[in-house]
Amino acid sequence: MSPIVNGQDNRLMVGIDIGSANITCAIGQADSSINRIKLRGISSTLSTGIKRGTITNRNELIDTLEKVINDTERMANIKITNAFLSITGEHIRAINTQAAIPLNRINGVNGGIVERSINDADIFQVLDLAQAVSLPIDRDILHTLPQEYVVDTLNEIKDPLGMTGRRLEGKVHLVTAAKTAMTNLVSCIEELGITVDGLVFQPLAAALATLNNDEMELGITLVDIGSTTTSIAVYHEGTVQHSATIPIGSSSITNDIAVMLQVSIDEAEMIKMKYASAKSSMSSPDLEINIPSKNGGMNRSIPEKEVSKYVEARMQEIFQMVIREIARANIKDPLTYGIVITGGGAELRNIVSLAENSMGVKVRKGKPINIDGAQDIADGPHHSTAMGLLLWPLYTTDHLNMKMPKNRSIKGLLEKIRHTIEDMF
Ligand SMILES: Nc1ncnc2c1ncn2[C@@H]1O[C@H](COP(=O)(O)OP(=O)(O)OP(=O)(O)O)[C@@H](O)[C@H]1O
Ligand SMILES: [Mg+2]
């Protein structure tokens, strides 16, 4: 079978989630008749050469990427030429900004003043102004996500196209990142002959794969618990209100277990996966974990409850930081749907119960639900970001990537995006 040429025309989507613990590459194909994306291939491998979103060994990372990309290409029988990448790290910062433009009125037939309606160029201009913040030279914009528009005194407008008024204001969620982190990540993929179509902040991709429309509308926080980072995205009224990264993830639990029990990281990881419970009160009081002896010493056994105490303490710390971040979103109404936890760290036993107790809101585990075929081979919470990357180009309006065509209005483009978002769920 000859390889299919990639690109937006035949609507093949490729996402590469570059995490500290796992790297996942996925290929999806859009089915325009039902407006869904079907998974064509996916492959994951243990990550090397990257920690907390920072490249620690470029050559190792490129080798791992090459392997995972080749595996995915083989599975889907498709040659990858373009891809969207995930990005995370402490260097990522997000703020909400706004800008306004006057809407010049035009003369009517009798010389009277008539108000003209808002066109695509006005919307484009106001978003452009909203993202024109002064940034330090080592930072750049990662996303410019429209939140709402205000026409004169009317607010909470999602699409002002065609409305009339004197003043148009646009509010956006602006995500910025360190230039070096972005360019280095892109260059690793480009070295493999693949064009990077865009970088996507991890929790925003994970949210697309796991949340539904009602949740985004009435309020929810997506918490992606990775290995070295926990990243969050707060949604309300259908748009991102706040996003952030916390530099602690599930590997901190592994490290705690290794230190407390004096075992290797690999042994600690195995103990975490097999025995640890996020709530020590829910772990078995009688079960003892056998720890093989080292250097001829005695075999030891530790009660499961004891191990879970360390785990619970670390998870509580992470959840407290999550609550602090959600408070920064400054949303007056309570978030109706509470919190969705996803990412590999969400696999921890009894994590939902602990999260509900310590954060005092409704919590559910988020799995990729918005990609057809993912339920069979990519249904784990650690697949959420890769699945979300496949949805990103079709379902997100990122002004940063929109260029005003010279002789064409962007109406068609906006129209397309609006419809696909409406039809998505
Ligand atoms: N069953 C399980 N119980 C507890 N923890 C688990 C389980 N399965 C996976 N994990 C943890 O999930 C983490 C990996 O999750 P994930 O693949 O989402 O991380 P990542 O995306 O590579 O990391 P990051 O986003 O921080 O760069 C590891 O720390 C792993 O120990
Ligand atoms: Mg991750």
Side-chain angles (χ1 to χ4, degrees):
M1 194 172 111
S2 54
I4 299 170
V5 181
N6 197 356
Q8 285 292 330
D9 294 343
N10 61 19
R11 318 226 307 163
L12 269 181
M13 318 290 166
V14 178
I16 308 175
D17 175 25
I18 307 174
S20 304
N22 298 294
I23 296 181
T24 303
C25 177
I27 302 178
Q29 186 150 27
D31 185 337
S32 47
S33 59
I34 51 168
N35 247 318
R36 301 271 305 179
I37 291 181
K38 188 169 174 15
L39 188 62
R40 294 280 306 268
I42 183 163
S43 176
S44 283
T45 188
L46 289 180
S47 179
T48 51
I50 185 159
K51 278 275 159 309
R52 288 195 181 87
T54 304
I55 298 173
T56 53
N57 187 329
R58 188 171 183 272
N59 287 341
E60 268 188 17
L61 178 61
I62 292 174
D63 287 347
T64 313
L65 285 167
E66 189 170 24
K67 181 190 172 301
V68 78
I69 289 166
N70 286 342
D71 288 350
T72 319
E73 286 180 333
R74 254 197 307 277
M75 181 175 177
N77 206 4
I78 288 166
K79 178 93 188 118
I80 295 172
T81 59
N82 296 63
F84 278 83
L85 313 182
S86 73
I87 186 167
T88 189
E90 245 189 304
H91 57 95
I92 295 178
R93 300 266 181 287
I95 47 164
N96 293 331
T97 63
Q98 62 223 47
I101 55 164
L103 298 165
N104 296 326
R105 289 178 293 169
I106 51 173
N107 288 327
V109 268
N110 302 324
I113 301 276
V114 287
E115 291 191 341
R116 71 168 175 83
S117 54
I118 295 166
N119 59 28
D120 292 317
D122 297 321
I123 298 172
F124 191 89
Q125 193 191 349
V126 83
L127 294 177
D128 238 14
L129 280 173
Q131 70 171 6
V133 295
S134 87
L135 292 173
I137 49 165
D138 58 343
R139 274 190 165 267
D140 224 335
I141 298 172
L142 181 59
H143 301 296
T144 303
L145 306 172
Q147 293 173 316
E148 63 159 319
Y149 298 89
V150 181
V151 179
D152 296 343
T153 53
L154 299 178
N155 54 16
E156 292 184 21
I157 297 168
K158 291 213 172 134
D159 182 6
L161 193 69
M163 295 177 75
T164 54
R166 294 176 176 206
R167 176 181 178 275
L168 172 68
E169 184 178 341
K171 299 185 178 179
V172 299
H173 182 67
L174 204 69
V175 184
T176 70
K179 267 186 200 164
T180 344
M182 293 196 276
T183 48
N184 279 309
L185 211 53
V186 169
S187 90
C188 287
I189 294 291
E190 285 183 344
E191 192 141 325
L192 297 167
I194 293 169
T195 305
V196 175
D197 288 332
L199 293 165
V200 183
F201 185 29
Q202 267 194 33
L204 305 179
L208 275 189
T210 55
L211 305 182
N212 65 46
N213 238 3
D214 286 351
E215 290 174 327
M216 287 184 180
E217 199 60 46
L218 294 176
I220 196 156
T221 302
L222 183 286
V223 180
D224 177 351
I225 309 172
S227 144
T228 55
T229 56
T230 296
S231 39
I232 75 152
V234 181
Y235 287 81
H236 192 238
E237 292 179 348
T239 56
V240 187
Q241 302 294 325
H242 182 61
S243 61
T245 293
I246 298 160
I248 308 185
S250 186
S251 70
S252 295
I253 300 175
T254 310
N255 292 346
D256 292 345
I257 294 175
V259 171
M260 297 297 185
L261 304 186
Q262 297 284 296
V263 294
S264 69
I265 294 287
D266 286 348
E267 284 170 318
E269 179 77 6
M270 187 277 291
I271 291 171
K272 177 177 81 173
M273 301 243 192
K274 220 165 152 189
Y275 303 103
S277 161
K279 262 186 112 177
S280 66
S281 62
M282 288 171 86
S283 60
S284 159
D286 306 323
L287 198 86
E288 301 262 324
I289 304 167
N290 278 320
I291 299 169
S293 64
K294 261 194 268 178
N295 309 327
M298 298 258 289
N299 278 6
R300 290 179 291 154
S301 69
I302 310 274
E304 189 190 89
K305 229 179 167 57
E306 187 69 22
V307 173
S308 295
K309 270 189 200 155
Y310 314 139
V311 178
E312 180 170 336
R314 182 60 83 172
M315 277 319 308
Q316 292 267 24
E317 183 194 0
I318 294 176
F319 289 143
Q320 288 316 309
M321 291 165 113
V322 167
I323 285 290
R324 226 173 295 149
E325 275 305 334
I326 296 174
R328 292 202 175 122
N330 222 356
I331 297 170
K332 288 169 209 86
D333 311 328
L335 299 168
T336 313
Y337 286 98
I339 289 174
V340 164
I341 48 172
T342 194
E347 300 268 31
L348 186 68
R349 253 190 326 136
N350 302 322
I351 195 167
V352 169
S353 176
L354 178 78
E356 284 189 334
N357 282 3
S358 68
M359 296 191 281
V361 291
K362 200 159 77 176
V363 178
R364 77 166 170 91
K365 207 180 274 189
K367 292 179 171 194
I369 50 171
N370 296 324
I371 294 268
D372 293 341
Q375 296 69 25
D376 306 325
I377 47 171
D379 74 335
H382 61 286
H383 288 122
S384 300
T385 302
M387 295 299 103
L389 289 172
L390 303 181
L391 295 159
W392 184 263
L394 278 184
Y395 297 117
T396 305
T397 311
D398 190 346
H399 175 70
L400 189 70
N401 298 328
M402 275 187 193
K403 294 283 163 272
M404 176 76 106
K406 273 205 174 91
N407 298 316
R408 247 184 55 217
S409 107
I410 57 167
K411 186 173 177 192
L413 180 60
L414 288 174
E415 207 48 54
K416 190 182 108 197
I417 288 166
R418 236 190 335 269
H419 283 307
T420 45
I421 289 174
E422 280 161 10
D423 296 342
M424 183 174 167
F425 300 104

